[in-house]
Amino acid sequence: MKNEKAVVVFSGGQDSTTCLFWALKNFREVATVTFDYGQRHSEEIECARQIADELGVSFKVLDMKLINQLSANALTRDDIEVKEVEGELPSTFVPGRNHLFLSFAAVYADAIGARHLITGVSETDFSGYPDCRDNFIKSLNVTLNLAMDGRFVIHTPLMWLDKSEVWALSDELGAFDFVQNKTLTCYNGIPSTGCGECPACVLRNDGLATYLSQKSAGVSE
Ligand code: ZN
């Protein structure tokens, strides 16, 4: 793998930035692809661009706003509240979004001669998104190879990690401070620890607190 080229599906958030550091460790050349689907906060794309610049990797934005012609959701419409109700899919859910994005990323990867795709999806914190699950990723990997006569390998370094373990991984990769200070996960567009109140901030900050308490107790290596 070390001699090969990889494409990271990149949003500038904690998960995909950790994946970017993982990719930089494992591949000779790394490119990023970011999807513009009319996020409520364009800060997200700007943040992704700055991180890519700082790490010296190529940055490609694909216009995916057409997805909003298909469905309404809280990530793109500010008249829909970001909320999570037990037993229901979150209001941020766009059906099939990950499927579409990964398929476009594969076409881009093929165009630039990369066969490795890296995505930060996780079954542990998947919030009910079926296209973040491991069985879907494995199925898509087969489908992409059939569709494009390719030898794609989809890597999901975070698949079985919870948020505190994602923090541990960024630390192992020497990227803890970078991820903590420079990424944007918050649904309200505030970088680093964010607004502290939206579901994305709560997940991120709870994971961080758990990781730091385990680390100080000497549980983690
Ligand atoms: Zn927030």
Side-chain angles (χ1 to χ4, degrees):
M1 294 203 316
K2 195 74 192 170
N3 262 326
E4 297 189 63
K5 194 168 172 180
V7 170
V8 178
V9 176
F10 188 55
S11 70
Q14 178 195 357
D15 293 344
S16 64
T17 303
T18 303
C19 286
L20 178 53
F21 277 94
W22 181 88
L24 286 166
K25 187 183 155 203
N26 287 294
F27 296 94
R28 174 180 54 83
E29 190 181 340
V30 176
T32 61
V33 60
T34 295
F35 298 103
D36 180 356
Y37 53 95
Q39 289 90 327
R40 283 180 172 199
H41 297 282
S42 54
E43 289 92 334
E44 189 179 310
I45 291 168
E46 243 353 272
C47 177
R49 185 191 310 277
Q50 280 171 22
I51 291 171
D53 279 356
E54 193 166 337
L55 297 179
V57 297
S58 74
F59 179 73
K60 169 89 171 168
V61 182
L62 291 183
D63 185 352
M64 297 294 288
K65 290 200 226 25
L66 63 91
I67 203 167
N68 301 316
Q69 295 171 23
L70 306 172
S71 71
N73 73 89
L75 286 185
T76 55
R77 290 258 306 267
D78 44 22
D79 56 327
I80 300 176
E81 193 191 344
V82 173
K83 60 173 183 182
E84 291 184 5
V85 177
E86 190 76 34
E88 284 178 26
L89 284 168
S91 61
T92 49
F93 181 65
V94 181
R97 184 181 68 184
N98 209 38
H99 174 200
L100 291 172
F101 285 6
L102 277 169
S103 298
F104 278 90
V107 176
Y108 176 61
D110 186 64
I112 63 167
R115 70 183 190 98
H116 295 276
L117 286 173
I118 292 120
T119 171
V121 295
S122 165
E123 185 150 338
T124 314
D125 286 327
F126 84 120
S127 310
Y129 296 66
D131 56 357
C132 289
R133 290 184 292 206
D134 191 54
N135 60 1
F136 166 71
I137 297 292
K138 290 195 163 84
S139 160
L140 180 66
N141 202 148
V142 172
T143 298
L144 289 174
N145 287 343
L146 290 171
M148 296 168 66
D149 215 6
R151 296 180 300 124
F152 288 111
V153 184
I154 306 179
H155 300 268
T156 54
L158 314 185
M159 182 58 78
W160 307 109
L161 306 185
D162 65 23
K163 274 285 179 284
S164 69
E165 293 166 326
V166 176
W167 283 110
L169 176 60
S170 66
D171 210 358
E172 260 171 62
L173 293 166
F176 179 84
D177 288 338
F178 188 103
V179 172
Q180 190 177 15
N181 296 318
K182 299 194 172 175
T183 61
L184 192 163
T185 308
C186 175
Y187 288 145
N188 290 311
I190 303 166
S192 190
T193 46
C195 73
E197 284 169 10
C198 72
C201 281
V202 170
L203 199 59
R204 170 177 168 140
N205 294 336
D206 284 357
L208 179 59
T210 303
Y211 174 62
L212 292 176
S213 71
Q214 283 170 348
K215 194 177 175 179
S216 64
V219 176
S220 273
E221 290 128 340

mmCIF file of all heavy atoms in Angstrom, residues 9 19 43 60 62 67 72 76 80 84 94 120 140 168 211 216-217:
data_model
loop_
_atom_site.group_PDB
_atom_site.id
_atom_site.type_symbol
_atom_site.label_atom_id
_atom_site.label_comp_id
_atom_site.label_asym_id
_atom_site.label_seq_id
_atom_site.Cartn_x
_atom_site.Cartn_y
_atom_site.Cartn_z
ATOM 1 N N VAL A 9 -12.178 10.678 1.484
ATOM 2 C CA VAL A 9 -13.431 11.436 1.503
ATOM 3 C C VAL A 9 -13.363 12.345 2.724
ATOM 4 O O VAL A 9 -13.298 11.885 3.858
ATOM 5 C CB VAL A 9 -14.650 10.486 1.589
ATOM 6 C CG1 VAL A 9 -15.936 11.290 1.702
ATOM 7 C CG2 VAL A 9 -14.681 9.561 0.373
ATOM 8 N N CYS A 19 -8.752 10.243 9.511
ATOM 9 C CA CYS A 19 -8.539 9.349 8.356
ATOM 10 C C CYS A 19 -7.461 9.896 7.422
ATOM 11 O O CYS A 19 -6.685 9.128 6.844
ATOM 12 C CB CYS A 19 -9.827 9.173 7.563
ATOM 13 S SG CYS A 19 -11.004 8.109 8.383
ATOM 14 N N GLU A 43 -18.479 27.309 6.223
ATOM 15 C CA GLU A 43 -17.223 27.202 6.984
ATOM 16 C C GLU A 43 -16.641 25.805 6.870
ATOM 17 O O GLU A 43 -15.439 25.621 6.909
ATOM 18 C CB GLU A 43 -17.439 27.484 8.482
ATOM 19 C CG GLU A 43 -17.736 28.925 8.832
ATOM 20 C CD GLU A 43 -19.235 29.209 8.865
ATOM 21 O OE1 GLU A 43 -20.010 28.506 8.172
ATOM 22 O OE2 GLU A 43 -19.631 30.156 9.570
ATOM 23 N N LYS A 60 -10.157 18.660 -3.685
ATOM 24 C CA LYS A 60 -11.125 18.757 -4.783
ATOM 25 C C LYS A 60 -12.522 18.875 -4.185
ATOM 26 O O LYS A 60 -12.904 18.064 -3.340
ATOM 27 C CB LYS A 60 -11.011 17.462 -5.603
ATOM 28 C CG LYS A 60 -12.093 17.271 -6.612
ATOM 29 C CD LYS A 60 -11.702 17.892 -7.907
ATOM 30 C CE LYS A 60 -12.678 17.544 -9.026
ATOM 31 N NZ LYS A 60 -12.416 18.400 -10.195
ATOM 32 N N LEU A 62 -16.461 18.687 -4.976
ATOM 33 C CA LEU A 62 -17.465 18.288 -5.956
ATOM 34 C C LEU A 62 -18.814 18.890 -5.576
ATOM 35 O O LEU A 62 -19.228 18.816 -4.423
ATOM 36 C CB LEU A 62 -17.600 16.760 -5.993
ATOM 37 C CG LEU A 62 -16.431 15.971 -6.559
ATOM 38 C CD1 LEU A 62 -16.782 14.486 -6.586
ATOM 39 C CD2 LEU A 62 -16.083 16.445 -7.962
ATOM 40 N N ILE A 67 -28.366 16.907 -4.618
ATOM 41 C CA ILE A 67 -28.995 16.007 -3.646
ATOM 42 C C ILE A 67 -30.182 16.688 -2.960
ATOM 43 O O ILE A 67 -31.128 16.039 -2.530
ATOM 44 C CB ILE A 67 -27.938 15.508 -2.628
ATOM 45 C CG1 ILE A 67 -28.391 14.185 -2.000
ATOM 46 C CG2 ILE A 67 -27.637 16.520 -1.549
ATOM 47 C CD1 ILE A 67 -27.308 13.466 -1.246
ATOM 48 N N ALA A 72 -35.263 16.815 1.694
ATOM 49 C CA ALA A 72 -35.034 17.937 2.604
ATOM 50 C C ALA A 72 -34.474 17.388 3.902
ATOM 51 O O ALA A 72 -34.931 16.374 4.400
ATOM 52 C CB ALA A 72 -36.349 18.645 2.879
ATOM 53 N N THR A 76 -28.927 20.903 5.510
ATOM 54 C CA THR A 76 -28.890 21.910 4.449
ATOM 55 C C THR A 76 -30.015 22.929 4.567
ATOM 56 O O THR A 76 -29.950 23.986 3.952
ATOM 57 C CB THR A 76 -28.977 21.240 3.064
ATOM 58 O OG1 THR A 76 -30.138 20.411 3.028
ATOM 59 C CG2 THR A 76 -27.759 20.396 2.789
ATOM 60 N N ILE A 80 -35.236 23.376 9.246
ATOM 61 C CA ILE A 80 -35.451 22.059 9.864
ATOM 62 C C ILE A 80 -34.473 21.939 11.033
ATOM 63 O O ILE A 80 -33.274 22.148 10.879
ATOM 64 C CB ILE A 80 -35.209 20.912 8.844
ATOM 65 C CG1 ILE A 80 -36.172 21.053 7.666
ATOM 66 C CG2 ILE A 80 -35.379 19.551 9.520
ATOM 67 C CD1 ILE A 80 -35.961 20.019 6.558
ATOM 68 N N GLU A 84 -32.281 14.581 17.452
ATOM 69 C CA GLU A 84 -32.239 13.123 17.387
ATOM 70 C C GLU A 84 -33.256 12.572 18.365
ATOM 71 O O GLU A 84 -33.261 12.916 19.532
ATOM 72 C CB GLU A 84 -30.819 12.621 17.702
ATOM 73 C CG GLU A 84 -29.864 13.002 16.578
ATOM 74 C CD GLU A 84 -28.454 12.471 16.722
ATOM 75 O OE1 GLU A 84 -28.192 11.704 17.658
ATOM 76 O OE2 GLU A 84 -27.628 12.849 15.870
ATOM 77 N N VAL A 94 -29.777 12.105 5.189
ATOM 78 C CA VAL A 94 -30.116 12.173 3.767
ATOM 79 C C VAL A 94 -30.024 10.742 3.257
ATOM 80 O O VAL A 94 -28.930 10.174 3.215
ATOM 81 C CB VAL A 94 -29.130 13.051 2.980
ATOM 82 C CG1 VAL A 94 -29.528 13.114 1.512
ATOM 83 C CG2 VAL A 94 -29.056 14.447 3.563
ATOM 84 N N GLY A 120 -14.372 7.838 6.655
ATOM 85 C CA GLY A 120 -14.406 7.815 8.120
ATOM 86 C C GLY A 120 -15.707 7.288 8.699
ATOM 87 O O GLY A 120 -16.040 7.605 9.841
ATOM 88 N N LEU A 140 -20.595 -2.309 -1.435
ATOM 89 C CA LEU A 140 -20.283 -1.252 -2.399
ATOM 90 C C LEU A 140 -18.918 -1.495 -3.042
ATOM 91 O O LEU A 140 -18.729 -1.257 -4.237
ATOM 92 C CB LEU A 140 -20.294 0.125 -1.724
ATOM 93 C CG LEU A 140 -19.987 1.290 -2.671
ATOM 94 C CD1 LEU A 140 -21.093 1.465 -3.709
ATOM 95 C CD2 LEU A 140 -19.770 2.589 -1.920
ATOM 96 N N ALA A 168 -8.079 8.465 20.442
ATOM 97 C CA ALA A 168 -6.860 7.684 20.715
ATOM 98 C C ALA A 168 -6.070 7.457 19.429
ATOM 99 O O ALA A 168 -4.840 7.574 19.415
ATOM 100 C CB ALA A 168 -7.236 6.343 21.360
ATOM 101 N N TYR A 211 -11.694 9.835 26.526
ATOM 102 C CA TYR A 211 -10.311 9.509 26.151
ATOM 103 C C TYR A 211 -9.312 10.131 27.129
ATOM 104 O O TYR A 211 -8.394 9.465 27.602
ATOM 105 C CB TYR A 211 -10.010 9.956 24.717
ATOM 106 C CG TYR A 211 -8.539 9.755 24.396
ATOM 107 C CD1 TYR A 211 -7.981 8.480 24.426
ATOM 108 C CD2 TYR A 211 -7.705 10.833 24.108
ATOM 109 C CE1 TYR A 211 -6.628 8.275 24.171
ATOM 110 C CE2 TYR A 211 -6.356 10.639 23.861
ATOM 111 C CZ TYR A 211 -5.840 9.365 23.886
ATOM 112 O OH TYR A 211 -4.493 9.165 23.653
ATOM 113 N N SER A 216 -5.342 9.724 31.390
ATOM 114 C CA SER A 216 -4.728 10.167 32.640
ATOM 115 C C SER A 216 -4.752 9.039 33.687
ATOM 116 O O SER A 216 -3.912 8.987 34.572
ATOM 117 C CB SER A 216 -5.398 11.429 33.177
ATOM 118 O OG SER A 216 -6.731 11.151 33.513
ATOM 119 N N ALA A 217 -5.697 8.101 33.531
ATOM 120 C CA ALA A 217 -5.721 6.954 34.457
ATOM 121 C C ALA A 217 -4.745 5.861 34.011
ATOM 122 O O ALA A 217 -4.596 4.851 34.679
ATOM 123 C CB ALA A 217 -7.127 6.388 34.529
#
